[in-house]
Amino acid sequence: MDLRTRALAALITPDPADKVAQVLTLQASASQLGLDCESTLVPAASLPGRPAKPELIAATDVPHRSPFTPLGLAALLHAICHIEFNAINLALDAVWRFPVMPEAYYRDWLRVAAEEAYHFSLLRDHLAELGFAYGDFAAHDGLWEMCEKTQGDITARMALVPRTLEARGLDATPQIQAKLRKVGTPHALQTVAELDIILRDEVGHVAVGNHWYRWLCERDGLDPVAHYATLLTQHSAPRLKAPINVAARRAAGFTEIELGLLGQS
Ligand SMILES: [Fe+2]
Ligand SMILES: [Fe+2]
């Protein structure tokens, strides 16, 4: 099986530990595997593969818990762990779904999938230290929903998943870290350190999204700024909430014009 076929197999795999193992093996052997950039693949099962738990509920029904209690801290870790599980699936989906991209596109997204697998494992292991497992809290499915909405348009996918939803993570992480520093317990501070690793890697993921979004716009003769506004409306993407992490977004390749526009929306 070539790299894209194996990415699809990992995406279909429901068990998180099995999925993580497949992604890490795939990334480690990527340079020796064939890469078929041309084929249109068809999934043999519904996507994504995921375990029976967590139960998926509407984002508005997710209970708001304070991280100042042990249960609330575990719920916060679980919510981020769920984001990372979805992020593995999103990156794998970018690899298998869209044909006729340059080889570097597929290799970039496989590397992202491997980093998401690492983030997921980090938080799952921390949850276990607190006596919880992935699946113990209900979660929402907003990330995968955007993945489905953009499955027919790779430019929309790059615009709205990495450079909108993942980029929101860049904005939100320092605020979560500030709150956890106030909590101040060893587990809260351990979470701050884990979020440092995640934030560092996420700048790279948003940069990959920016790179391929611009590449696609150039290929198709689209203006990246104007087309982004069109895609936001077309797919009812969530609007930004202030404050914006300008330094992280700049490091991830947003232009000064884009940063200026983000501040106004
Ligand atoms: Fe991540
Ligand atoms: Fe990411």
Side-chain angles (χ1 to χ4, degrees), residues 17-216:
D18 192 2
K19 190 188 293 274
V20 164
Q22 283 187 43
V23 168
L24 296 180
T25 305
L26 189 49
Q27 169 66 0
S29 55
S31 58
Q32 289 107 58
L33 282 175
L35 173 53
D36 175 352
C37 305
E38 306 299 319
S39 295
T40 299
L41 305 176
V42 180
S46 66
L47 300 177
R50 59 173 147 219
K53 284 171 68 186
E55 180 198 355
L56 297 178
I57 57 175
T60 46
D61 292 340
V62 175
H64 192 78
R65 294 190 179 92
S66 162
F68 285 86
T69 67
L71 185 67
L73 180 63
L76 174 64
L77 268 170
H78 189 278
I80 305 169
C81 192
H82 179 66
I83 289 171
E84 300 298 345
F85 183 75
N86 267 298
I88 302 171
N89 288 333
L90 293 168
L92 291 172
D93 198 80
V95 175
W96 82 265
R97 189 180 294 276
F98 302 105
V100 297
M101 290 294 286
E103 272 198 38
Y105 166 87
Y106 303 105
R107 299 201 186 281
D108 276 352
W109 284 110
L110 177 60
R111 179 173 47 79
V112 172
E115 289 178 1
E116 305 296 15
Y118 169 57
H119 299 166
F120 171 79
S121 307
L122 207 58
L123 299 172
R124 177 202 53 196
D125 294 351
H126 190 176
L127 267 178
E129 287 175 39
L130 299 178
F132 293 92
Y134 176 57
D136 283 354
F137 295 85
H140 74 84
D141 206 25
L143 278 172
W144 186 259
E145 283 162 11
M146 186 57 84
C147 196
E148 288 190 325
K149 280 204 263 184
T150 56
Q151 63 187 10
D153 179 356
I154 185 176
T155 311
R157 173 68 64 82
M158 293 298 113
L160 301 181
V161 174
R163 69 193 300 279
T164 299
L165 297 184
E166 282 194 282
R168 272 160 59 107
L170 303 183
D171 303 329
T173 302
Q175 298 170 58
I176 297 170
Q177 287 178 307
K179 195 177 246 186
L180 289 170
R181 282 192 194 97
K182 283 190 196 146
V183 174
T185 58
H187 280 295
L189 297 177
Q190 184 180 329
T191 310
V192 172
E194 288 157 353
L195 288 172
D196 276 336
I197 296 170
I198 290 175
L199 182 57
R200 176 201 67 197
D201 293 345
E202 292 304 326
V203 169
H205 303 176
V206 178
V208 167
N210 267 323
H211 172 77
W212 292 110
Y213 175 70
R214 292 190 208 298
W215 186 91
L216 287 157

Side-chain angles (χ1 to χ4, degrees), residues 146 149-150 160 164-165 229-239:
M146 186 57 84
K149 280 204 263 184
T150 56
L160 301 181
T164 299
L165 297 184
T230 306
L231 291 169
L232 274 182
T233 309
Q234 192 181 332
H235 294 281
S236 317
R239 300 294 157 153

Side-chain angles (χ1 to χ4, degrees), residues 159 163 206 209-211 213-214 217 223-229 240 244 246 249-250 252-265:
R163 69 193 300 279
V206 178
N210 267 323
H211 172 77
Y213 175 70
R214 292 190 208 298
C217 285
D223 174 66
V225 173
H227 191 57
Y228 181 68
L240 268 194
I244 287 165
V246 174
R249 283 177 174 268
R250 198 174 274 143
F254 283 96
T255 64
E256 296 308 311
I257 292 171
E258 287 167 333
L259 289 170
L261 288 170
L262 287 174
Q264 293 163 14
S265 58

